[in-house]
Amino acid sequence: MASMGLNLDEQKAVERFQKAVVAPSRDKLVILDFWAEWCGPCKALAPLLEKVAAEYADKGVLLAKLNVDEEKFIAAQFQVRSIPTVYAIFQGQPIADLTSARSESQLKQALDQLLAQLPVTGGASAEPQADIAQLAAMGEQVLAEGDGERAAGIFAQIAEMAPDDPAVQSGLVRALLAAGRKDEARAAFDALGDEMKKDPAVAQAGAALELAGGDIDEGELQALRAAAAERPDDRQAQFDFAQAAFAAGQRDEAADTLLKLIEAEPEWQDGAARAKLLQIFEAVGLGDPWVSAQRRRLSLLLFG
């Protein structure tokens, strides 16, 4: 797809496609998945593609996902009329339609046939770290979308390939937490060496694990929520509910409650509410957009 005759948005779309698909496909086999948020079959197929791509990463296979609503121009170039549509891309060209491969055995059989015919460079001999980083980014994207179970599956497979990668281990712990598998998250974190735990990414996962605390069932959370609502001037009730809310995955409620507590009495318990909020920021990740928004709210309270 040349840029001649294209408008600015189309040129940018081509550039993104070149970077995400064409460049890696020069010596890798790229599974290109056309999908959309509203497509149920796409979401059903995604875990299969992610699992097989992770298992075949050392053979030179990568997964690229293209949202047809966001990349309409590229989808049109491929004449995508229904989704999910899945192509195998090599050296910038579609070489096989994998859409009909809806089971793990079918997809692996199709990939094995292609790999036997193509000069694909395996992950072990060409930029393996780049492959790991791409797979980890995929796991982080799935985690950000709120699917902790899928993200945990992705990170578990990557962890077998890169056991010494702090970003991968951090992702695994956080994904297990998001999936509600706190005991497994604790076991995964405890199994890491002391030096690994000092890494900022792993420390972030450790902070998230500490904040998760014990299991919070819906009944307990509702009771704490009711107590906080009935006793708005009871600082401890507000604080206890905020902790439980975050442990239960209700981070918006947790932040709102702590910010109100800070506004009402910033020095309560030597600034415990502010310290807890900063701990939450560390656990979620200082680069996360949600954290950035909450930090602005905190700054307005403290300095506005």
Side-chain angles (χ1 to χ4, degrees):
M1 286 175 285
S3 61
M4 185 177 299
L6 303 182
N7 62 37
L8 182 58
D9 287 341
E10 291 170 345
Q11 290 181 37
K12 289 182 177 179
V14 170
E15 290 171 3
R16 289 192 296 270
F17 185 75
Q18 292 277 354
K19 182 178 180 180
V21 178
V22 176
S25 76
R26 288 174 187 148
D27 59 358
K28 307 289 185 186
L29 182 63
V30 177
I31 302 172
L32 179 57
D33 176 28
F34 291 90
W35 71 290
E37 285 287 353
W38 46 264
C39 173
C42 298
K43 293 184 177 181
L45 181 62
L48 168 64
L49 297 178
E50 292 159 0
K51 180 179 187 295
V52 173
E55 291 180 4
Y56 274 60
D58 60 348
K59 299 181 181 180
V61 175
L62 300 175
L63 175 63
K65 299 175 71 67
L66 191 144
N67 187 318
V68 297
D69 291 331
E70 297 174 355
E71 299 290 0
K72 294 179 181 178
F73 177 72
I74 301 299
Q77 302 308 300
F78 280 84
Q79 299 182 343
V80 174
R81 294 183 174 85
S82 64
I83 52 174
T85 291
V86 184
Y87 286 122
I89 308 293
F90 185 64
Q91 295 183 346
Q93 300 297 321
I95 58 170
D97 186 341
L98 302 177
T99 307
S100 61
R102 295 300 180 91
S103 71
E104 184 174 340
S105 61
Q106 289 174 338
L107 182 56
K108 286 183 175 181
Q109 182 180 8
L111 291 175
D112 288 340
Q113 291 174 352
L114 291 170
L115 291 169
Q117 303 171 38
L118 299 169
V120 173
T121 304
S125 60
E127 302 181 356
Q129 288 307 117
D131 295 348
I132 296 297
Q134 184 171 359
L135 290 168
M138 180 173 66
E140 292 290 355
Q141 179 181 345
V142 172
L143 184 57
E145 292 170 355
D147 196 334
E149 197 64 49
R150 267 179 62 204
I154 293 170
F155 278 114
Q157 292 181 69
I158 309 172
E160 294 180 3
M161 299 159 51
D164 298 324
D165 190 311
V168 172
Q169 296 299 333
S170 171
L172 176 60
V173 173
R174 289 181 288 109
L176 287 169
L177 278 176
R181 295 155 62 181
K182 294 178 184 177
D183 290 344
E184 292 178 64
R186 168 58 66 185
F189 182 80
D190 289 345
L192 301 176
D194 291 339
E195 286 302 312
M196 177 78 79
K197 290 178 181 176
K198 294 177 183 177
D199 183 272
V202 177
Q204 174 192 346
L209 193 59
E210 182 180 344
L211 279 169
D215 291 331
I216 304 293
D217 61 36
E218 185 60 28
E220 183 179 358
L221 182 63
Q222 290 288 13
L224 290 169
R225 182 184 284 114
E230 292 167 3
R231 305 196 299 273
D233 295 328
D234 185 335
R235 310 301 187 216
Q236 191 64 52
Q238 308 303 313
F239 189 79
D240 290 346
F241 168 61
Q243 288 193 102
F246 185 80
Q250 306 298 321
R251 65 183 188 182
D252 286 335
E253 278 193 287
D256 289 346
T257 303
L258 289 170
L259 286 166
K260 288 178 182 177
L261 183 50
I262 293 167
E263 183 178 23
E265 191 174 343
E267 298 307 317
W268 176 77
Q269 296 282 26
D270 296 323
R274 180 172 179 270
K276 180 60 63 175
L277 191 57
L278 294 177
Q279 189 181 20
I280 287 174
F281 292 167
E282 180 185 1
V284 175
L286 297 181
D288 188 280
W290 181 85
V291 170
S292 298
Q294 304 308 319
R295 289 177 71 180
R296 284 194 293 272
R297 295 176 66 191
L298 177 61
S299 295
L300 285 173
L301 280 181
L302 297 177
F303 310 113

